[in-house]
Amino acid sequence: MITSLVVLFLSTIVAFWISAICGGGASLILIPLLNFMLPSSVIPFSLTIGTFTSSVSRIVVFKRNINWKIFLWFVPFSIPAVLLGGYLIKYIEPSYLQLIVAFFLIGNIPQLFKSKKTDLPVQSKYSRSFLAIIGFLSGFVSGITGAIGLLFNRFYLRMGLSKEEIIATRAANEVFLHLVKLIIYIALGLYSKAALGLGLAIALATIISSVTVKFILPYFSDQLFKKIGYGAMVVSGVVLLASSSRKIVDQNGLQVALEHLENKTELALSWRETNFVLEYSKTHGLEFERSIHWTGLPLQLQQKYFALSKSHSNIYIEKVMRFRKGASYEFYSHKEGLLTRLD
């Protein structure tokens, strides 16, 4: 256990060094370690203790570098948004939002190959309404996904801020979000004594990381700092794309199959309990087929369905659409282990 604590402590220092330079990503390093030490349900509590303490310590170390204009228009709109996101998580599947975020992050690839002369233009004077919108979106995404991390890096990197100003302003903007999340976790009972102990160990390591990172920053030019930030966004996007896609596939039973037969080619897609088929044959040309419920049948065909259901169980219905032709309907049922068409 002592060895695990030492590894966690040292890893936290390094993780939050990387987080300060890249604009996020500490959780990608710490979550695998915490998985060996805590139940998954209380890991966010331990991490949030660390991120909250990290933000506070960065504010202390870099307090002179905080851009108060951004802070004053960011925070008031982010707090209610994180509460709204936390409430809507009951009704919104986070995996789909994570997928959108992943594509947004991967979209920063071109910035990795741009020279200093062709880099994104600096926008040092955003309107107050824009700052309020960014604050609201960051809080909302944080409330649903549990993190904002690298998502809003692009915003900070285009503000014309120095390295120190980016770190300080991010910390000031996010400290209240972390505090609100801590309160939510405690209110929901998503904590334990072990999680609290490890969270305090992470918190101590983040303080050391925040104090020492000040001596590391001078070795990074502003241009290199930005490149690392964009690189971290792209890497995070790829990881998030893989994980969220896998979750969506598993949750919805997504299956794709391509089959070449003698007279036709068929692409089949299964999503939840619905099947879609795109078929091309020499006889009928291009067809699109999808499974439907009997209530989607025209009235006259519903009578046929009820007649067939008396002698067949589990009847499957497909709606077939052909180019420049009306829709037709096909009925299938299992017979001797095979799906057989019923005429």
Side-chain angles (χ1 to χ4, degrees), residues 250-270:
D250 292 341
Q251 290 170 355
N252 296 282
L254 176 64
Q255 295 181 344
V256 180
L258 179 63
E259 185 177 10
H260 294 285
L261 301 176
E262 184 177 352
N263 295 318
K264 66 179 181 179
T265 299
E266 188 174 275
L267 175 65
L269 171 67
S270 176

Side-chain angles (χ1 to χ4, degrees), residues 19-208:
S19 175
I21 296 169
C22 296
S27 60
L28 295 178
I29 299 172
L30 297 182
I31 287 178
L33 295 174
L34 290 172
N35 278 332
F36 291 104
M37 308 171 76
L38 291 171
S40 59
S41 61
V42 296
I43 287 177
F45 176 75
S46 292
L47 277 176
T48 305
I49 291 176
T51 51
F52 171 73
T53 307
S54 174
S55 294
V56 172
S57 57
R58 287 177 185 177
I59 290 171
V60 173
V61 174
F62 297 98
K63 57 182 178 293
R64 295 182 179 178
N65 302 108
I66 297 174
N67 187 307
W68 292 107
K69 178 186 176 182
I70 297 176
F71 172 84
L72 292 174
W73 281 95
F74 185 100
V75 172
F77 292 90
S78 65
I79 300 302
V82 74
L83 294 174
L84 176 62
Y87 172 76
L88 290 179
I89 197 172
K90 300 177 183 178
Y91 310 101
I92 297 176
E93 174 52 55
S95 298
Y96 294 103
L97 181 58
Q98 291 174 4
L99 188 66
I100 296 172
V101 170
F103 284 114
F104 179 84
L105 292 171
I106 294 173
N108 289 285
I109 287 179
Q111 302 306 318
L112 297 177
F113 304 99
K114 286 187 177 181
S115 64
K116 186 175 182 179
K117 294 181 179 179
T118 59
D119 205 354
L120 277 176
V122 172
Q123 184 69 40
S124 58
K125 292 184 179 180
Y126 281 114
S127 67
R128 293 175 178 178
S129 59
F130 182 83
L131 296 176
I133 292 171
I134 291 294
F136 182 88
L137 290 176
S138 66
F140 184 72
V141 174
S142 179
I144 294 179
T145 65
I148 48 177
L150 296 163
L151 178 58
F152 293 93
N153 243 10
R154 192 183 184 97
F155 161 69
Y156 289 103
L157 293 172
R158 294 191 64 180
M159 281 293 293
L161 305 176
S162 67
K163 304 185 294 292
E164 292 78 9
E165 286 176 322
I166 290 176
I167 293 174
T169 307
R170 279 182 61 102
N173 287 346
E174 295 172 12
V175 66
F176 290 99
L177 298 182
H178 298 317
L179 179 60
V180 171
K181 285 190 288 183
L182 272 178
I183 295 173
I184 292 174
Y185 293 145
I186 294 173
L188 296 176
L190 299 176
Y191 67 95
S192 67
K193 290 183 179 179
L196 176 61
L198 291 179
L200 293 175
I202 293 173
L204 178 59
T206 63
I207 294 173
I208 296 174

Side-chain angles (χ1 to χ4, degrees), residues 224-241:
L224 178 59
F225 184 84
K226 288 185 177 182
K227 290 292 185 183
I228 293 174
Y230 287 123
M233 293 172 74
V234 172
V235 171
S236 179
V238 172
V239 173
L240 191 59
L241 177 63

